[in-house]
Amino acid sequence: MSIDPLISVILPVYNVEEYLEKSIRSVINQTYKNMEIILIDDGSTDRSGEMCDELAGSDTRIHVIHQKNRGLSAARNRGIEESHGDYLTFIDSDDYVADDMVEYLYLLIKKFDCKMSLCSHTIVFTETGKKHPLGDGSECKMSALAALESMLYHGLVDTSAWAKLYSRDLWKDVRYPEGKLFEDIGTTYKLFIESEWIACGFKPKYFYFVRKGSIVTSNFSSRNFDLLEMTDQMGEGVLSVFPTLNKAVLRRQMYARFSVLNKMIGVQGFSNYRKQISQFISNNWKEVFLDNKTPCRDKFAILAFNIAPWFYNLAWKLYKH
């Protein structure tokens, strides 16, 4: 009789008391049972740390680690180092997962004989309660090159740390960059390359909350420039292995520039960054625009920016509304 391998489920926790119990309960209720659940309380100042300890009392699989606040990357890295599982998966503690997500990801790895698997997710808007499921329900074995290309063009594959299951040996030389935002972008591509093949199941098993105060919805700060650094680092790493993905990398770099510009609308200062971003767009827009794999939204952004920056700002505000 074969025994299912131990899977480590790692949840970084920081000031999410409103969402924490739902998140952890969704892990406790998994159909896959041979798990250790590692909660890294990253110096929470609300009741999150206490709640972790209370929930640990209800399930012996839960292990709580309290540490001074060091950020999401450091919390994930601590979870990797403290884990014992043959496989690892990450869940953000303000999100939740379907009861069979871990089992689904593990069965994908077995089915396609890979070291890594992924599934799709549902976007949940906390203010309205509306849900937007992603994925087309298909399953396939995808090469690292194909997965990276999909990710770079914002296809069905994404850069997130979560909604994925990783063999432990993939982490031998990989850790999240501490002190950076958008750390997933600077890390996930390395795991695709290490894995060589990825078991993909595009069914939405992860529920991702979009809420006020998150990185996605928060106001601009200089830390948003981390997106450019992480994207360029990813591009350099991808091209060192797959130079044929040069167009896909350039498209993703262009997308990152527009993403930062969008955050900077109405913000004063940072003139050097604005000039660098504008220069990048001016130097590369034609190649990205003529790439038939570039999404239509990107092409519209390029056209609007080339008409005039003020026109682009207006177009973005209307699009966002």
Side-chain angles (χ1 to χ4, degrees), residues 36 44 50 55 62 74 179 248 256 262 269 271 276 282 321:
E36 60 173 3
S44 296
E50 298 169 43
L55 287 162
I62 298 177
N262 295 341
S271 58
Q276 290 173 23
S282 297
H321 179 72

Side-chain angles (χ1 to χ4, degrees), residues 271-302:
S271 58
N272 287 337
Y273 277 103
R274 292 180 195 274
K275 289 177 182 177
Q276 290 173 23
I277 291 171
S278 296
Q279 191 63 51
F280 183 94
I281 296 172
S282 297
N283 291 343
N284 298 287
W285 73 266
K286 187 173 293 185
E287 186 173 354
V288 176
F289 187 83
L290 294 176
D291 182 356
N292 59 14
K293 293 183 180 179
T294 295
C296 291
R297 190 184 79 163
D298 292 24
K299 293 186 177 185
F300 180 78
I302 289 170

Side-chain angles (χ1 to χ4, degrees), residues 175-278:
R175 289 294 185 273
Y176 288 97
E178 298 191 15
K180 298 291 182 182
L181 297 182
F182 311 101
E183 69 292 327
D184 303 12
I185 294 173
T187 307
T188 301
Y189 78 93
K190 297 178 182 179
L191 298 161
F192 285 155
I193 293 170
E194 284 290 318
S195 185
E196 296 185 355
W197 292 91
I198 298 91
C200 302
F202 297 112
K203 296 178 182 179
K205 299 291 185 179
Y206 188 100
F207 294 84
Y208 169 69
F209 273 125
V210 175
R211 59 187 179 87
K212 283 186 175 180
S214 69
I215 294 171
V216 173
T217 61
S218 60
N219 293 327
F220 177 81
S221 79
S222 59
R223 294 194 69 195
N224 286 103
F225 294 126
D226 287 353
L227 176 59
L228 304 184
E229 181 183 347
M230 292 294 99
T231 301
D232 289 348
Q233 182 187 105
M234 174 178 65
E236 183 178 343
V238 168
L239 291 178
S240 69
V241 181
F242 300 115
T244 58
L245 290 177
N246 58 309
K247 287 186 178 181
V249 165
L250 186 60
R251 178 267 156 184
R252 185 75 187 219
Q253 290 174 315
M254 182 73 76
Y255 172 85
R257 267 71 185 176
F258 276 116
S259 295
V260 173
L261 275 182
N262 295 341
K263 284 280 190 178
M264 296 176 75
I265 293 175
V267 176
Q268 301 299 314
F270 304 103
S271 58
N272 287 337
Y273 277 103
R274 292 180 195 274
K275 289 177 182 177
Q276 290 173 23
I277 291 171
S278 296

Side-chain angles (χ1 to χ4, degrees), residues 4 40-41 48 50 70 79 82 102 151 184 220 228 281:
D4 289 331
I40 311 295
D41 170 30
S48 294
E50 298 169 43
R70 293 168 51 203
E82 298 285 348
V102 172
M151 183 181 74
D184 303 12
F220 177 81
L228 304 184
I281 296 172

Side-chain angles (χ1 to χ4, degrees), residues 72-82 174-178:
L72 179 57
S73 287
R76 284 181 180 157
N77 290 341
R78 180 76 183 275
I80 294 168
E81 290 152 12
E82 298 285 348
V174 178
R175 289 294 185 273
Y176 288 97
E178 298 191 15

